[in-house]
Amino acid sequence: PEPCLDAHGHPSLTPADFNYGADEYDAEGNEEPKALPEGSETMPYIDESPTMSPQLSARGQDSGDGVSPTPTDGLGTGGDRDAGKGLEMRKLVLSGFLASEEIYINQLEALLLPMKPLKATATTSQPVLTLQQIETIFYKIQDIYEIHKEFYDSLCPKVQQWDSNVTMGHLFQKLASQLGVYKAFVDNYKIALETAEKCSQSNYQFQKISEELKVKGPKDSKESHTSVTMEALLYKPIDRVTRSTLVLHDLLKHTPADHPDYPLLQDALRISQNFLSSINEDIDPRRTAVTTPKGETRQLVKDGFLVELSEGSRKLRHVFLFTDVLLCAKLKKTAVGKHQQYDCKWYVPLADLVFPSPEESEHCPQVHVIPDHELEDMKMKISAIKSEVQKEKANKGQSRAIERLKKKMFENEFWLLLNSPAIPFRIHNRNGKSYLFLLSSDYERSEWREAIQRLQKKDLQAFVLSSVELQVLTGSCFKLRTVHNIPVTSNKDDDESPGLYGFLHVIVHSAKGFKQSANLYCTLEVDSFGYFVSKAKTRVFRDTTEPQWNEEFEIELEGSQSLRILCYEKCYDKTKLNKDNNEIVDKIMGKGQIQLDPQAVQTKNWHMDVIEMNGIKVEFSMKFTSRDMSLKRTPSKKQTGVFGVKISVVTKRERSKVPYIVRQCVEEVEKRGIEEVGIYRISGVATDIQALKAVFDANNKDILVMLSDMDINAIAGTLKLYFRELPEPLLTDRLYPAFMEGIALSDPAAKENCMMHLLRSLPDPNLITFLFLLEHLKRVAEKEPINKMSLHNLATVFGPTLLRPSEGESKAHLTLASDIWSHDVMAQVQVLLYYLQHPPISFSELKRNTLYFSTDV
């Protein structure tokens, strides 16, 4: 059957679409009194309810504005415009309304249930509540119940024995005429709530009763009853008036103007609307939740997902910044198909909100930082799952398998999102409590801070929200939020841009526009796995208004879409430098971001750009190399230098066992870089690395002078570049497949034998250089508490550099660069890690002993 359409041409298929507040409760929602009574968040603020009464009476068949409330308008399909369709719609509207009416009556019944026993105890020597309190809390509920019960009992048979001539306008008219009872209820509502709250605080028995009232489920539902708080139930009548008004609206729309019900329904709608506007001012919590104490509308300024450190564990929160309050919420688990709702964790009025300075936050909880290698491992896992998804799709795999993989990927990405942020963002409430968020991007931290500070410039008042106001405010979050999805890539649609994978080369040239001279530096952030992280940092340019950095960085992109540049003033004030190394105390002078457009970026040439930020202009250039391009090893044409020249040629020429460049770089790093945070991970300045490369290639006698002056990260970068540019990897192309097989063995003794045999099979210069590097990397890792570089981190940095096959050997058909990449890289990292974790290996032992360590494994 064709779906029937309503007068606006929207399909309306089932009574469920007319679910006027048929709010079945999910049990969870009601164990927590803060939970917004479900359904009320869809209630329009009362003044928005339909206000068409003046035009309705004037509207005849020929009103000509296309929303004529006659059934002939837009109903049915094609030319089938018979009035019967309209009447059919009336039945649908009514049966939906009846279902919700039944629930409403059950709710009122549940509210009345404890009243009799409470009244009975009121006259005994140990009353739970006084008669006066009972009268206040349950004021007019009995009357409302009787009115609706009578209405329901009269309407129900009419809908069940439906006949197109049935009339029920008089029932609605009668219901509307009894709205005075609601007026009394509304006037008393606030006092009723306060009384109930006071009583449950002072009386444990009443608290138990009011926390769990049993509401009968609808006749045909499986649930026998749900438990709801008294507070939630007391809100129902307020909600109901609006619902009845909406249903009258819909009924009128589907009632022919010549139907006997038409004038009666019109009258009922007019009464209901006048009533609504008269009580508008009285429904206090509705209004105050959405207005500030000064009566301005409370607007949502910013929202987003942040990780909160709460009682020592990391929790993902959705944070909402309103005109005068910061509200931290979590999304509640709801049954499928239910409206999602937020649960407020805490809120701080902006008038009371302060940012503690680093000195004040010294006694704050220390952030437990997850070791880098665990994060790296997880990224590898995610990349591997991504490749599997791609493969499944390419092979037209089962959607079940793909769904399973996607679920796994989401779990892993969620873990990463939760565990990688480490930059503290502290919020303090003047009246006591402090809260701690962890962010992965200082850019975002400053955006939150600036947004809050902008609002704080206004004259704000402190306030306390009543529980109902808080409920309403939290309820509005769902509708108002601008960020709908947790920022992980598995939430992206297939047709969304997957972002760029590969290497972005960025040169940060210079900046101008500073008012006074300062010590300035920049950092670069890109989005990786869905969230932003800092990837590079220029050196500090001292005491200048026009810093000239001219530094080049190579940034690995993992599904990136944007590049952000932040410009800082370096803080050298010892009192401000915090012991917590993630506390960035430097002042942000400006920040800006640009989209990485795959078309524009993927040219061979540098592309110059300027980012403007609060009057400061930063000049930079960039170019992008996709992953498959960057996998190539290109042998040097000339055999004179050291870069791109076979290691055997170099050692022979130098008459050395280990190339001079390797020895010099290692020595310099051990001399002054072994305690440098992120040594080998943080990229050195590309221009410095190129300068060193040229000096080593020319075998210039100034090498040593230059090394001692050079930034240590550039020296570390030169060493990595040397290995990366070898015409074949240090562990050779020939043995690559064997290394891959060896590392995959599961029996420890077999693995040990195989891995040692492979080392033995390497040419001498390769083996001696490898063992030399191995010992160096182990010494670097001993300083992990200071330099934060574990064996695993070093294996991640060096594994691919030492093992990745050269072009001829690597699979010529690079299907998806990222596929092969992720799987092979994991194995390459594992191979190097195996040797790094192995007891010391000596060249002579290896050569002498054909079966090495094979017995005691």
Side-chain angles (χ1 to χ4, degrees):
E2 289 282 359
C4 33
L5 302 171
D6 66 23
H8 296 293
H10 301 308
S12 24
L13 294 167
T14 59
D17 289 339
F18 301 99
N19 184 340
Y20 298 100
D23 29 8
E24 303 96 68
Y25 279 83
D26 53 312
E28 175 182 271
N30 301 300
E31 290 155 12
E32 307 166 348
K34 282 200 193 69
L36 192 80
E38 198 185 325
S40 57
E41 102 268 38
T42 50
M43 162 184 175
Y45 297 129
I46 283 181
D47 51 341
E48 290 172 21
S49 66
T51 46
M52 290 192 177
S53 39
Q55 308 97 311
L56 277 177
S57 46
R59 214 181 243 166
Q61 289 287 32
D62 56 356
S63 63
D65 60 0
V67 195
S68 124
T70 59
T72 56
D73 185 70
L75 273 175
T77 44
D80 174 12
R81 291 170 165 271
D82 73 39
K85 274 277 166 50
L87 297 168
E88 200 46 45
M89 286 295 289
R90 289 172 78 220
K91 183 185 176 184
L92 282 174
V93 173
L94 284 168
S95 44
F97 185 58
L98 261 182
S100 74
E101 191 71 5
E102 182 194 346
I103 289 170
Y104 180 48
I105 290 167
N106 290 345
Q107 288 165 340
L108 293 170
E109 222 167 36
L111 204 46
L112 289 169
L113 205 62
M115 193 168 84
K116 288 198 183 78
L118 282 171
K119 272 191 174 158
T121 64
T123 48
T124 63
S125 57
Q126 286 174 315
V128 179
L129 301 182
T130 63
L131 279 172
Q132 180 59 51
Q133 287 168 329
I134 297 170
E135 191 50 46
T136 308
I137 294 172
F138 297 98
Y139 185 66
K140 293 291 179 200
I141 304 270
Q142 186 71 45
D143 301 1
I144 292 177
Y145 171 75
E146 281 159 13
I147 291 169
H148 281 270
K149 186 90 180 80
E150 184 192 346
F151 171 76
Y152 179 84
D153 292 343
S154 329
L155 184 60
C156 198
K158 286 180 182 284
V159 176
Q160 278 166 355
Q161 289 110 46
W162 183 255
D163 160 9
S164 55
N165 299 323
V166 78
T167 60
M168 37 70 205
H170 56 289
L171 298 178
F172 277 94
Q173 199 178 25
K174 183 174 180 191
L175 191 61
S177 69
Q178 291 165 310
L179 280 170
V181 178
Y182 273 92
K183 175 85 175 110
F185 173 83
V186 169
D187 289 344
N188 178 70
Y189 173 70
K190 214 174 171 184
I191 305 153
L193 256 197
E194 280 164 13
T195 310
E197 226 166 275
K198 274 196 202 109
C199 293
S200 71
Q201 279 163 8
S202 59
N203 187 309
Y204 181 68
Q205 258 175 304
F206 181 67
Q207 185 189 348
K208 289 306 292 167
I209 297 170
S210 64
E211 268 174 5
E212 278 200 45
L213 295 171
K214 300 279 182 259
V215 177
K216 260 193 334 227
K219 282 194 281 289
D220 49 358
S221 90
K222 290 188 277 295
E223 291 177 36
S224 52
H225 63 262
T226 46
S227 57
V228 184
T229 62
M230 180 175 286
E231 183 187 11
L233 288 179
L234 281 171
Y235 186 74
K236 292 296 153 193
I238 291 187
D239 217 2
R240 199 67 202 161
V241 186
T242 316
R243 298 298 164 96
S244 321
T245 312
L246 292 177
V247 91
L248 281 166
H249 223 151
D250 284 344
L251 274 176
L252 259 175
K253 206 157 60 179
H254 299 297
T255 304
D258 52 4
H259 193 286
D261 274 347
Y262 194 79
L264 302 174
L265 291 173
Q266 232 174 5
D267 193 42
L269 181 62
R270 187 181 46 80
I271 298 170
S272 305
Q273 280 175 333
N274 289 343
F275 169 73
L276 274 183
S277 49
S278 75
I279 63 162
N280 222 349
E281 289 69 55
D282 308 335
I283 301 183
D284 209 347
R286 258 278 155 238
R287 308 261 22 98
T288 53
V290 293
T291 53
T292 64
K294 299 165 94 173
E296 296 156 0
T297 319
R298 201 170 260 152
Q299 283 171 334
L300 179 64
V301 178
K302 179 175 174 58
D303 68 303
F305 289 97
L306 295 180
V307 173
E308 184 188 8
L309 199 64
S310 158
E311 292 162 12
S313 67
R314 292 165 175 256
K315 304 272 190 242
L316 190 65
R317 305 287 191 223
H318 199 149
V319 182
F320 294 86
L321 174 61
F322 289 93
T323 322
D324 64 341
V325 61
L326 184 74
L327 183 129
C328 174
K330 75 165 211 213
L331 202 52
K332 284 205 319 217
K333 289 195 170 65
T334 45
V336 182
K338 285 271 166 69
H339 266 297
Q340 283 185 305
Q341 291 183 345
Y342 284 99
D343 198 5
C344 173
K345 285 304 191 187
W346 50 265
Y347 70 90
V348 180
L350 298 189
D352 295 330
L353 186 153
V354 283
F355 300 112
S357 65
E359 306 87 274
E360 295 169 273
S361 51
E362 275 183 12
H363 49 269
C364 284
Q366 274 302 302
V367 182
H368 168 62
V369 179
I370 304 285
D372 271 352
H373 70 85
E374 287 184 33
L375 299 173
E376 288 304 323
D377 267 359
M378 187 53 88
K379 288 180 183 175
M380 294 284 191
K381 265 192 207 149
I382 293 167
S383 301
I385 298 173
K386 270 193 189 147
S387 315
E388 281 182 61
V389 172
Q390 296 290 356
K391 280 191 199 107
E392 283 287 337
K393 281 188 181 155
N395 304 337
K396 302 275 184 286
Q398 293 181 335
S399 53
R400 287 248 305 282
I402 294 180
E403 280 317 302
R404 219 177 28 249
L405 285 169
K406 281 196 165 166
K407 182 166 180 273
K408 186 99 193 95
M409 182 153 108
F410 177 79
E411 286 162 8
N412 289 343
E413 290 200 305
F414 188 79
W415 182 91
L416 197 58
L417 184 72
L418 213 51
N419 290 294
S420 52
I423 301 173
F425 177 40
R426 303 176 198 278
I427 299 284
H428 180 68
N429 184 336
R430 261 182 247 274
N431 306 325
K433 262 197 99 154
S434 284
Y435 304 96
L436 170 59
F437 291 112
L438 296 173
L439 280 69
S440 57
S441 150
D442 198 25
Y443 192 99
E444 265 147 57
R445 179 171 77 156
S446 78
E447 282 186 318
W448 279 100
R449 193 177 277 161
E450 285 162 18
I452 291 169
Q453 285 165 338
R454 261 198 304 278
L455 293 168
Q456 286 180 326
K457 288 204 176 84
K458 299 192 183 120
D459 173 26
L460 294 169
Q461 288 182 10
F463 55 85
V464 174
L465 294 172
S466 73
S467 57
V468 179
E469 288 170 1
L470 186 58
Q471 235 176 58
V472 173
L473 188 60
T474 312
S476 71
C477 289
F478 185 78
K479 284 206 297 282
L480 298 173
R481 63 190 185 158
T482 61
V483 181
H484 297 276
N485 289 332
I486 298 173
V488 293
T489 50
S490 31
N491 270 343
K492 283 189 183 170
D493 298 332
D494 292 344
D495 51 358
E496 274 186 72
S497 156
L500 296 168
Y501 287 86
F503 295 92
L504 185 69
H505 298 265
V506 181
I507 301 177
V508 181
H509 297 295
S510 59
K512 43 180 174 296
F514 296 97
K515 303 280 181 291
Q516 57 235 49
S517 58
N519 304 314
L520 303 164
Y521 69 93
C522 284
T523 63
L524 304 177
E525 289 184 358
V526 294
D527 50 330
S528 162
F529 292 93
Y531 57 89
F532 278 87
V533 278
S534 182
K535 287 282 199 179
K537 181 173 171 179
T538 68
R539 64 183 186 281
V540 178
F541 211 101
R542 296 221 171 194
D543 203 12
T544 177
T545 53
E546 294 205 1
Q548 301 282 333
W549 293 288
N550 293 320
E551 292 184 63
E552 183 185 330
F553 302 94
E554 177 182 83
I555 297 173
E556 189 166 353
L557 301 185
E558 295 161 301
S560 313
Q561 295 178 325
S562 310
L563 168 72
R564 293 174 167 175
I565 297 189
L566 293 97
C567 192
Y568 291 89
E569 176 175 1
K570 179 78 181 152
C571 159
Y572 288 109
D573 176 351
K574 281 284 178 283
T575 59
K576 285 211 177 83
L577 290 176
N578 196 322
K579 292 188 271 295
D580 177 358
N581 60 3
N582 285 309
E583 189 78 59
I584 301 170
V585 289
D586 299 335
K587 184 171 160 220
I588 295 183
M589 304 297 284
K591 60 184 195 320
Q593 73 173 2
I594 52 159
Q595 290 307 105
L596 296 174
D597 169 21
Q599 270 63 48
V601 189
Q602 277 176 315
T603 54
K604 292 267 186 300
N605 307 328
W606 287 95
H607 157 74
M608 176 103 169
D609 214 333
V610 175
I611 285 189
E612 293 205 33
M613 30 188 163
N614 357 330
I616 299 165
K617 287 184 180 174
V618 176
E619 282 196 1
F620 65 100
S621 302
M622 56 184 186
K623 70 176 179 184
F624 170 74
T625 331
S626 65
R627 225 195 226 113
D628 39 4
M629 290 304 294
S630 58
L631 287 174
K632 290 179 181 154
R633 289 181 185 268
T634 41
S636 166
K637 299 277 182 293
K638 53 185 199 323
Q639 289 297 303
T640 50
V642 289
F643 281 81
V645 179
K646 279 187 180 165
I647 191 163
S648 53
V649 174
V650 173
T651 48
K652 205 163 169 186
R653 186 195 320 141
E654 293 177 354
R655 297 195 181 79
S656 60
K657 290 192 161 134
V658 173
Y660 179 67
I661 178 170
V662 177
R663 293 187 319 236
Q664 285 307 338
C665 292
V666 162
E667 189 182 319
E668 202 60 36
V669 169
E670 292 195 0
K671 198 160 34 178
R672 57 192 181 93
I674 202 138
E675 297 193 344
E676 181 81 12
V677 174
I679 185 75
Y680 288 120
R681 189 172 57 81
I682 295 206
S683 54
V685 178
T687 38
D688 289 351
I689 295 175
Q690 290 307 322
L692 276 172
K693 176 180 172 178
V695 175
F696 274 112
D697 266 343
N699 194 11
N700 189 314
K701 53 184 184 308
D702 301 335
I703 290 178
L704 293 176
V705 180
M706 199 162 162
L707 278 176
S708 56
D709 286 347
M710 193 60 87
D711 171 49
I712 198 67
N713 287 320
I715 294 172
T718 306
L719 181 64
K720 285 192 300 188
L721 184 69
Y722 168 71
F723 285 118
R724 200 157 71 210
E725 291 199 353
L726 281 175
E728 80 159 350
L730 187 65
L731 298 184
T732 72
D733 286 327
R734 185 174 60 87
L735 295 176
Y736 183 72
F739 277 112
M740 293 294 106
E741 282 165 14
I743 197 65
L745 292 171
S746 31
D747 171 45
K751 186 187 257 185
E752 165 77 15
N753 260 336
C754 176
M755 298 301 275
M756 289 306 135
H757 173 68
L758 285 170
L759 285 189
R760 214 172 294 118
S761 317
L762 284 168
D764 283 1
N766 299 57
L767 176 56
I768 297 169
T769 303
F770 181 64
L771 296 177
F772 177 78
L773 183 66
L774 216 48
E775 291 313 306
H776 165 62
L777 294 178
K778 286 181 181 181
R779 285 192 290 274
V780 172
E782 280 167 11
K783 296 277 192 222
E784 184 192 353
I786 307 167
N787 66 26
K788 305 278 187 280
M789 291 302 286
S790 59
L791 287 174
H792 191 287
N793 277 356
L794 292 163
T796 307
V797 171
F798 274 98
T801 304
L802 300 177
L803 276 135
R804 193 180 56 224
S806 50
E807 185 63 2
E809 296 297 315
S810 71
K811 314 187 181 51
H813 55 289
L814 277 171
T815 42
L816 243 172
S818 55
D819 287 5
I820 295 175
W821 182 81
S822 59
H823 185 264
D824 284 6
V825 164
M826 287 165 90
Q828 292 159 12
V829 170
Q830 291 307 319
V831 170
L832 181 53
L833 190 58
Y834 180 84
Y835 292 121
L836 283 170
Q837 289 170 339
H838 196 283
I841 306 163
S842 92
F843 179 73
S844 51
E845 278 285 295
L846 246 190
K847 288 295 189 188
R848 208 174 45 237
N849 195 347
T850 32
L851 276 175
Y852 189 71
F853 285 142
S854 61
T855 45
D856 56 343
V857 174

